[in-house]
Amino acid sequence: MPYSIMLDAGHGGRDPGAVYNGRSEKDDTLALTLAVGEILQSRGVDVLYTRTTDVYETPYQKAMEANEAGVDFFVSIHRNSSPEANTYSGVESLIFDRSGIKLEMAEDINDQLEAVGFVNLGVKERPGLVVLRRTDMPAVLVEAGFINSDTDNLLFDNNFNDIAAAIADGILDTLQRNGDLPDNGLTAGSYTVQAGAFRNGAYADRLQQELLEQDFPAVISQDNGIYRVTVGTYPTLDEAAAMERRLKRAGYQTVIVSA
């Protein structure tokens, strides 16, 4: 059975969320949520949505939809805001408490978004949020940059596809470590170390060349519009972990991928 996840585009309808210079959070979150869902579906994850159009539902209704659907995970996507514009920037993920697989997923999402270029503000507890408190499954709320930060908005607009891929990859990183996902082309029982995943093939080419110049055996694979840069193929997890340690010491964000 594939994993199932409900994606929630924050706000909607009569609730615009945070606004800045004519920009509404509800529009950014819907576009990003649909893009993330497309990637997850291409990797065999069963994706449901709280909304796919500009409609409003209360946070309680969204939590109940997830509970009734019986999904494995709930991820809500938002944009952050501060009292004064251009005061803060970066991404953070919110969870009910710092425990379990939800913490792991929140950290994985943040790490992937940091690799795109955001400041990583960490994972924070928010037990009062309804979509985190009333959902029966592990739930994460992602704040994809500050909507009233010109720096974050420039990054959001110029790297939209990479940001969607980063959130999806953060989710997939967690799922891959905790269960089975559809075949990724590796020989059964083998492992590789992923150093990057991009919608833009030029970014993958650049990363591969950078790794090759440091004598890392990097290759690029392409699947459903995602270009993945991986290093080596190893028969044991210990060997893959040794390469992952080398890459992390060299400053790369990595994840071990198993067949």
Side-chain angles (χ1 to χ4, degrees):
M1 291 288 291
Y3 282 110
S4 60
I5 184 168
M6 181 163 282
L7 296 180
D8 168 41
H11 307 283
R14 66 176 185 270
D15 175 16
V19 295
Y20 177 65
N21 287 346
R23 183 175 195 140
S24 295
E25 181 181 3
K26 69 174 184 176
D27 298 327
D28 284 358
T29 61
L30 181 58
L32 185 56
T33 297
L34 294 176
V36 171
E38 181 181 353
I39 297 169
L40 291 175
Q41 286 177 313
S42 75
R43 292 296 306 278
V45 178
D46 186 11
V47 179
L48 291 82
Y49 301 90
T50 59
R51 69 181 181 102
T52 57
T53 59
D54 186 20
V55 297
Y56 175 74
E57 289 185 337
T58 67
Y60 178 80
Q61 287 175 307
K62 294 177 176 183
M64 293 305 102
E65 285 180 17
N67 293 344
E68 290 169 10
V71 294
D72 298 312
F73 297 94
F74 181 92
V75 175
S76 185
I77 296 176
H78 289 250
R79 301 288 313 277
N80 217 333
S81 185
S82 57
E84 295 185 11
N86 297 305
T87 303
Y88 301 101
S89 65
V91 296
E92 63 182 7
S93 290
L94 311 179
I95 54 179
F96 182 79
D97 59 40
R98 296 181 62 84
S99 67
I101 196 171
K102 62 183 179 295
L103 173 59
E104 185 179 341
M105 183 174 288
E107 290 175 337
D108 284 339
I109 291 170
N110 280 12
D111 287 345
Q112 290 287 350
L113 287 170
E114 183 178 12
V116 174
F118 283 109
V119 174
N120 186 348
L121 299 176
V123 178
K124 299 174 183 177
E125 294 183 347
R126 290 292 188 274
L129 293 178
V130 171
V131 294
L132 303 180
R133 186 177 77 248
R134 299 304 299 267
T135 42
D136 295 337
M137 68 293 301
V140 178
L141 189 152
V142 181
E143 298 277 14
F146 282 76
I147 199 169
N148 61 349
S149 163
D150 294 333
T151 298
D152 281 359
N153 285 338
L154 184 64
L155 184 60
F156 187 96
D157 294 337
N158 290 347
N159 300 274
F160 178 84
N161 290 333
D162 293 334
I163 291 167
I167 295 174
D169 282 341
I171 294 168
L172 292 167
D173 288 347
T174 306
L175 301 186
Q176 286 167 338
R177 284 196 301 271
N178 290 275
D180 295 324
L181 285 175
D183 180 40
N184 53 20
L186 295 174
T187 302
S190 65
Y191 302 86
T192 188
V193 184
Q194 180 176 294
F198 308 93
R199 281 284 189 179
N200 189 328
Y203 293 165
D205 291 338
R206 187 182 310 156
L207 178 57
Q208 182 195 30
Q209 187 59 39
E210 182 180 305
L211 290 165
L212 290 173
E213 289 174 356
Q214 299 175 74
D215 295 323
F216 291 113
V219 298
I220 297 174
S221 61
Q222 193 269 345
D223 179 45
N224 291 303
I226 303 297
Y227 298 84
R228 301 183 185 278
V229 182
T230 57
V231 177
T233 303
Y234 308 96
T236 69
L237 182 59
D238 286 345
E239 290 173 278
M243 175 54 73
E244 184 184 40
R245 287 193 294 271
R246 285 182 56 196
L247 287 162
K248 284 185 179 295
R249 285 197 297 269
Y252 296 98
Q253 297 286 338
T254 62
V255 62
I256 295 174
V257 180
S258 64

